[in-house]
Amino acid sequence: MLIRNVEVEGHGPAVDVRIDGGRIAEIGPGLSGPGDVDGRGGALLPGLHDHHVHLAALAADAASVRVGPTDVRDRTAFSAALVNGPPGEWVRAVGYHESVAGELDRWVLDALAPDRPVRVQHRTGALWVWNSAALRAVGLDGDGRFWREDERLRGLVPPTRLDLEGVGRRAAALGVTGFTNADPHPASGLTQMLAVLPQRLLVMGVDEPVKLMLDDPTLPTPAQLARAIGEIRPRPVAVHCVTRVQLLVTLLALDEVGPADGDRIEHASVIPAETIPWLRRLGVTVVTQPHFPVERAAAYATDVDSDDRPHLYRCRTLIEAGVPLAAGTDAPYGTADPWAVMRAATERDHAERLQPRAALRLFTGEPQHPARTRRLTAGSAADLCLLHVPLREALRTLSGELVRAAYVAGRRIDAL
């Protein structure tokens, strides 16, 4: 096919792009070929890649009740959200935060929704809370709180309809042509299930890197983590780090075992300034979520220790120090819109604010090397995002509404 009259970075405006065999065959003015598409002067970009997303959970989101602080504002609204619908059917509620109705356990949920099985996921994705009806339905007991027990619970609950088609089409409408699924323990058959998505797919643990979860209550010593990483080598690792101590343990472990090409730190929620040269020396890539300080500003103002707030989800200071940086949405635990993440990165406080072009690069990296920006050149994969407008205009707004089409291997993805 031929996409004509587009702006391609490094080639200028009003050029044509000929695609053959799923790859870019030629870029230049006055080309000819079949399947002519008029780009009308819009920018043609590398397709966006979401470098950290949880696809099965995102697909299930459409069949879930939203109970986050922006969805239900108090205990009464929370209760109404749980009890609405046919009696007796399981309710899967997601996005909960303690600012809605405080800490949850089975008895709190019983008071709010006693007559139907209810399970509520905290917005971090780490905690599920079940009411008594749900526990009885599967023969469990206890306080109903399950911390990082998704593998155990997965086979106990009724299947949730996964709207994977909707996930793929909504992502295509935003110019997304690839995902990195970041589940720490991918379910059996996950890759096959996700294969229905039209986007390119990297599944951590099945593909490289291997995801490693850290939690403060079960935090290994640096030596223990180094041994675990050593058993994985030569494959790279992606280590989940959301606290200061988790980052320090990871850096000490990587120092001991030695870094590998493709090592990543996921989230890097708290990066003390003194660790930035350490990160650079190790060459580890940070895959962060710069939108969280914007989306969760009110909660972070009270939930995050004042000593940690200046170090949250760094962007500009990392890039200026030479630390490889990329981003993922962490959807459904954050917005699924990468353009919203880019805008948030440009709206941060001055120390961490990115320029629009740098924000765009957070989502145009190679899947296994997210900080290596992909370029449209002859021979590169024809994974493309076509905009309605030139790049300069797009950088002023960073909006998904400017996306006209997404292509994977030269094939247009149908979008919602």
Side-chain angles (χ1 to χ4, degrees):
M1 65 176 294
L2 181 73
I3 304 177
R4 60 183 178 84
N5 187 23
V6 290
E7 176 192 26
V8 177
E9 189 171 15
H11 296 269
V15 297
D16 305 329
V17 178
R18 186 166 60 83
I19 298 166
D20 187 22
R23 294 191 171 274
I24 295 175
E26 190 177 3
I27 302 175
L31 301 182
S32 61
D36 191 316
V37 174
D38 185 358
R40 300 196 291 266
L44 188 66
L45 309 175
L48 305 184
H49 190 98
D50 189 337
H51 295 290
H52 186 117
V53 63
H54 302 274
L55 291 164
L58 180 58
D61 196 65
S64 303
V65 178
R66 304 291 308 177
V67 293
T70 60
D71 306 293
V72 294
R73 300 201 174 265
D74 54 29
R75 185 182 179 92
T76 300
F78 180 37
S79 176
L82 296 179
V83 301
N84 285 338
E89 293 188 5
W90 281 69
V91 175
R92 184 184 193 273
V94 296
Y96 184 79
H97 183 263
E98 291 78 8
S99 59
V100 172
E103 295 282 350
L104 298 182
D105 57 27
R106 69 183 292 179
W107 300 286
V108 172
L109 289 181
D110 286 350
L112 297 170
D115 299 325
R116 58 190 313 187
V118 169
R119 53 188 177 122
V120 179
Q121 187 182 45
H122 194 270
R123 76 175 179 189
T124 61
L127 174 69
W128 282 97
V129 185
W130 292 22
N131 70 351
S132 294
L135 293 169
R136 286 194 300 269
V138 299
L140 296 179
D141 203 352
D143 63 4
R145 293 170 61 87
F146 301 98
W147 178 263
R148 296 218 185 278
E149 295 194 57
D150 290 59
E151 284 187 281
R152 175 192 176 198
L153 301 178
R154 192 176 289 133
L156 300 178
V157 296
T160 301
R161 190 181 78 84
L162 299 183
D163 184 20
L164 289 167
E165 180 182 354
V167 167
R169 295 177 66 187
R170 282 188 290 273
L174 297 168
V176 175
T177 60
F179 296 111
T180 293
N181 190 78
D183 297 352
H185 305 290
S188 175
L190 178 64
T191 300
Q192 291 77 12
M193 180 180 73
L194 297 178
V196 301
L197 290 164
Q199 284 83 5
R200 294 192 190 269
L201 183 64
L202 184 153
V203 177
M204 286 186 181
V206 177
D207 308 305
E208 296 180 352
V210 177
K211 178 79 175 285
L212 294 177
M213 285 295 304
L214 297 183
D215 288 309
D216 285 0
T218 58
L219 194 64
T221 66
Q224 289 170 334
L225 182 58
R227 284 196 295 273
I229 295 173
E231 292 172 358
I232 292 168
R233 291 293 192 237
R235 292 178 294 168
V237 295
V239 188
H240 167 104
C241 292
V242 296
T243 65
R244 182 187 296 243
V245 67
Q246 289 171 19
L247 178 65
L248 292 174
V249 166
T250 299
L251 296 180
L252 287 166
L254 288 174
D255 250 348
E256 180 174 337
V257 75
D261 184 37
D263 279 345
R264 300 164 43 151
I265 292 180
E266 305 300 306
H267 309 299
S269 307
V270 183
I271 301 183
E274 60 270 19
T275 65
I276 296 176
W278 199 354
L279 285 163
R280 180 182 178 180
R281 177 171 56 80
L282 288 169
V284 64
T285 297
V286 170
V287 179
T288 191
Q289 287 76 44
H291 52 306
F292 280 175
V294 177
E295 288 183 1
R296 304 177 178 181
Y300 282 1
T302 57
D303 295 353
V304 175
D305 189 286
S306 59
D307 290 339
D308 286 341
R309 287 178 210 149
H311 312 298
L312 291 176
Y313 296 96
R314 290 183 180 271
C315 289
R316 181 177 172 181
T317 49
L318 295 181
I319 290 176
E320 290 179 344
V323 176
L325 183 70
T329 63
D330 200 25
Y333 312 115
T335 178
D337 181 356
W339 297 93
V341 179
M342 296 178 213
R343 288 196 303 275
T346 67
E347 296 166 0
R348 299 284 302 278
D349 60 88
H350 178 73
E352 299 303 337
R353 184 180 307 152
L354 294 184
Q355 293 300 310
R357 192 177 294 269
L360 175 62
R361 285 197 292 266
L362 296 175
F363 288 93
T364 57
E366 299 174 8
Q368 291 183 319
H369 296 91
R372 295 182 188 173
T373 302
R374 288 172 287 131
R375 307 287 183 187
L376 300 188
T377 60
S380 63
D383 299 345
L384 310 169
C385 171
L386 176 61
L387 303 183
H388 287 289
V389 299
L391 181 58
R392 178 176 294 182
E393 184 176 339
L395 292 175
R396 286 200 293 266
T397 57
L398 292 175
S399 171
E401 294 182 358
L402 299 179
V403 175
R404 179 178 165 190
Y407 300 83
V408 172
R411 296 179 181 178
R412 181 168 180 166
I413 307 174
D414 291 333
L416 288 178

